[in-house]
Every structure is written in structure tokens, then in C-alpha cells.
Amino acid sequence: MDSVEALVAQIQGLSSSPEDISHLHNFLKEAEELLLSQAHRLASYLDQLDPSNHSLGYLYILEAYTSAPISKEQASDLVLSVVSFINSCVAEQIRLAPDKFISVCKRFKDHVLLLQSPMRGVAPMLMAVRKLQLSSEHLTTLHPDFLLLCLLAKCYKTGLSILEDDIFEVDQPRDFFLYCYYGGMICIGQKRFRKAMELLHNVVTAPMSTINAIAIEAYKKYILVSLIQSGQFSTTFPKYTSSVAQRNLKNFSQPYLDLANSYNTGKISELEECVQTNTDKFEIDSNLGLVKQVVSSLYKRNIQRLTQTYLTLSLQDIANTVQLNTPKEAEMHVLQMIQDGEIFATINQKDGMVSFHEDPEQYKSCEMIEHIDSSIQRIMTLSKKLSAVDEVISSDPVYLAKAGRERPRFDFDDFDSVPQRFNM
Amino acid sequence: MGPISIDRRTREMKPSPTYFLSDLDDHGSSVAMDVDDSDSLEILAEGVLNVDNKLADSDFFNSFDDDFDDADIN
């Protein structure tokens, strides 16, 4: 292919059937160097193509065009072109050249950040993820970029939509670390602390051969979220945590571990003293806001503890017990907890008395039955997946070689299924 | 101020929340396999072991505003 004009003609003529597209793809691969050499003048050729019909060819030209440096003024027009392409392109065609699609999308992300308009990238990047991924179980390298844009644009709810998918296929470990860390932050923003813990836990316990900066930051947030959600934190790692993480993570997180120890005393004064001592460190990590939520959660825990002992209690007594300044403050805390479903109570404003009630949930409503049923279905699906993964790993030579090396440490019955020739 | 009514009751303690990262009981005869740092973790490794003890992925983007202070709301 000796000219871009000829290539454009090929794209226009060979984009109508899968066989034609396969031929076209070969032409495009051969023309890569030509396109890169002409990068600065490719914009006009894009106008001759329809991104929905000529997706593959359009992608090759767009990728070459975006490889060249551009000014901030050109970035805005380029962003519009890329958005139009992402919205219009056919997924089957762009999946033939996933690396090029990824390059275009990553440069698009860089441009919206350069323009300080992350919001402009949120919807297109979500569309890009959906077009690139082969199934909802597939974690692409664009997932963390999408979540990053959501965080910068403060579009937490939009980011949450992608975190509902169960991930089973990961392209690169780094993508997994970032997806779970950014995803954890999205969940914190939406106060979905249980889900946040699950995602941050995944980063902390993921296999790693050297200590990972993302895991360190995830561990710090994990400690805080654990205190908010559960009221406690255990320094014991699960057995499947890498030895690198077990040996090193705590060394980077001392202020947070000190905070957890103070929290465990149940005394607001001790907790606030610890916060005061380590404010600078929490601020540097941009975690001070979350630390303040930890302090609020201790008030809540202490109020919740009261519901286990008393049927009624005055707001003054609540304030005195949990070290709030006034009954009004106690009322605000109790009201918020009632609204959030953390306690079941009524406040008599006339005499300042709070009556605590039992959880009215009887677990026999239609909604509860549906919830339980869907959880059962999800667990059954997960069980089948795990069985399939177990079969694949059981026949993996790398796994069997390692199992063979571990063999002398264990009883014969544990490893009698491991073939002898893998006993290395 | 009226008399303070403090009704005490004995309740069953609610089950304490489980430690999310607590030791899990072993199931079956399997023993968790430690990640051996000397192995080249070919399945999930990110290339050659970093012998300089530097942090992996230290260049990852983490410059977000601290947006989690509830005092900013209302």
C-alpha cells in the first residue's frame, strides 16, 4: 500500500463482510508504518470514513493520528472525534485490533485529563469498556482508567455500575490491583463499605513477588474501612496472603495500626488523640476524611452498644455515655443511625427519651425471599466456576511442578493425585 | 427535668462481627501454599523479580482530592 488514499479506498470497499474485513486487516497491518509516517495529516482522511461501518480501518488511522503529539487546543477537537468513534464503532471489528483500541482510549483519557475535564471521559470510557470486553467477567486494561475518571469527576454512582460484575478473567495483574483499589474508593464514596472491604482485601491478598505500592495504599484504606464497617480490625492476614505482603505491609501503615489500637479501647478521647498525633500523615495520604469517618463510627458503635442493654434512655444519658457534648448532638447521631438502619429506635422529643426496638425484619417478606434466592443462585454459579478453575489448575504443569516440590512436606494422602514425575 | 427512666434488660449478646481477615479454619487436608519468593510466579508475575527492593507500581496515579470528609456534606 503506497498511499493513504489507496488505503482509504480499500477500507471503504472491504468493510462489508467478515471475509472482506479479514483481508482488510492484513492490508492495514502492512500499512502501519505508512500511517505513522503520515500521522500529522491523517485527520482529513478520517472525515472520509464512517466509524460505524469502517470501524477497523477508522481505528487504524485514528490510532496513528493520536500517536503524534498535539497541542491543548487540538486536544479538544480530538476528544470529540474519539468520543464519536467510541459511540459509533462496531465491537466485533475493534476487537480484531484490541491493542490499537486500547491505545486510542488511553490517549483519550490523557487528553481529557490535560483539558481538566474528566467528566467528559466518563461515559465514553464506560462505552469503550463494554465494547472491548469479551464478557462481563473479563477485566480489561480500560477498567481502571474508567474508574480513575469517575473518581476525578466524582461520578461515584456511575463507577459503581461496573463494580457489580463478577470478574474471572484478568489480562494484567496491574489492572487487577488498580481496578480493586480504585473500585474500593468508589465504594467508599458511595458508603458501600462492605463491598469496599472486599475489593481492598483483594489487593492486599493478591499474589505479589515484590511489595506493591498499590497494595500499601489499599491496606491503609482497608484498616479504616474495616473500623467503620465492622468496628474492629485484625492484624492477622489470611494464609493465602503472599509472604511479601505479610512481612512488609504493616511497616508502611503504623499510624493506621495505632489508630486501630486506639479505636479498640472504645474511648473517644484516646482515638482523637491518636488522630491529632498523626494528622499530617493522614493528610499526606489523603485519608484524613476517612479517618474522621472512623471517629464518627466510634460514636455510633458506642450508641449501638447501649441498645443491647437499655430499652429506653434519655438523650442526656446517651450524650454522657458516649462523650458527646450535648443532648442535641446525641439526637443528631441517633436520628442519622435510625435513617441509615443502624439502630431501630424512636425519639420522644417532648421528654428527650429514646426508645430502642428490636429489628422488625422477619425474613419472610417477598423481597427477602428474592434476595436470598438470588444469593443462592449466585453462589451456585460461583461454585461451578470454581470447580472448572480447579480442574484447569490441577492439570497446569507449573502448578504440578510446584506441588511436586512441596510433596515431601506433606502426607502421601494429600498429594497422591500428583503424578510422580512432577516430584522434583 | 423529669425522672430518668433507665430500663435495663438482659439481652442475648448479638454474634460479634467476624474478623474479616481472621484465620480461617482449614477445610480438608490441604495446607495453604506459601508464595515462595524465590519462585518466578510465572502465572501472575510481572516480569523479573525486583532485586532493588523498590516498590512495584510506585508510579500509579493516586492524586485524588480527599473527598471522604462527611463534614463537607450539608
Side-chain angles (χ1 to χ4, degrees), chain A residues 159-172:
Chain A
L160 203 57
S161 62
I162 213 166
L163 296 169
E164 301 298 338
D165 296 335
D166 291 327
I167 297 295
F168 290 99
E169 297 169 46
V170 177
D171 287 342
Q172 293 292 331

Side-chain angles (χ1 to χ4, degrees), chain A residues 344 358-369 372:
Chain A
F344 304 96
E358 296 287 344
D359 182 352
E361 179 60 63
Q362 296 291 306
Y363 297 95
K364 56 185 181 184
S365 64
C366 290
E367 292 79 12
M368 184 55 68
I369 291 171
I372 292 172

Side-chain angles (χ1 to χ4, degrees), chain A residues 247-352:
Chain A
R247 284 200 306 266
N248 292 287
L249 281 179
K250 290 177 193 172
N251 297 338
F252 292 91
S253 314
Q254 197 54 52
Y256 297 84
L257 296 169
D258 291 343
L259 190 78
N261 288 334
S262 302
Y263 191 100
N264 284 339
T265 67
K267 295 177 185 168
I268 288 289
S269 52
E270 285 212 26
L271 183 64
E272 287 185 337
E273 189 184 333
C274 181
V275 172
Q276 201 61 36
T277 304
N278 294 294
T279 294
D280 291 344
K281 300 185 185 79
F282 295 141
E283 271 182 331
I284 288 169
D285 292 339
S286 295
N287 282 331
L288 187 59
L290 202 53
V291 167
K292 290 180 183 175
Q293 289 198 44
V294 169
V295 175
S296 293
S297 80
L298 186 57
Y299 285 109
K300 289 184 194 175
R301 294 275 158 225
N302 289 340
I303 292 174
Q304 275 177 330
R305 208 167 282 128
L306 293 173
T307 69
Q308 293 174 353
T309 307
Y310 302 101
L311 284 170
T312 58
L313 203 56
S314 70
L315 288 169
Q316 183 66 61
D317 277 336
I318 293 174
N320 293 342
T321 307
V322 304
Q323 296 176 283
L324 288 165
N325 292 325
T326 62
K328 194 65 186 171
E329 278 188 39
E331 185 179 355
M332 290 296 108
H333 274 87
V334 171
L335 271 173
Q336 189 63 52
M337 291 175 73
I338 293 170
Q339 188 175 336
D340 295 340
E342 290 164 343
I343 58 171
F344 304 96
T346 47
I347 302 176
N348 185 332
Q349 288 187 312
K350 200 172 171 184
D351 59 12

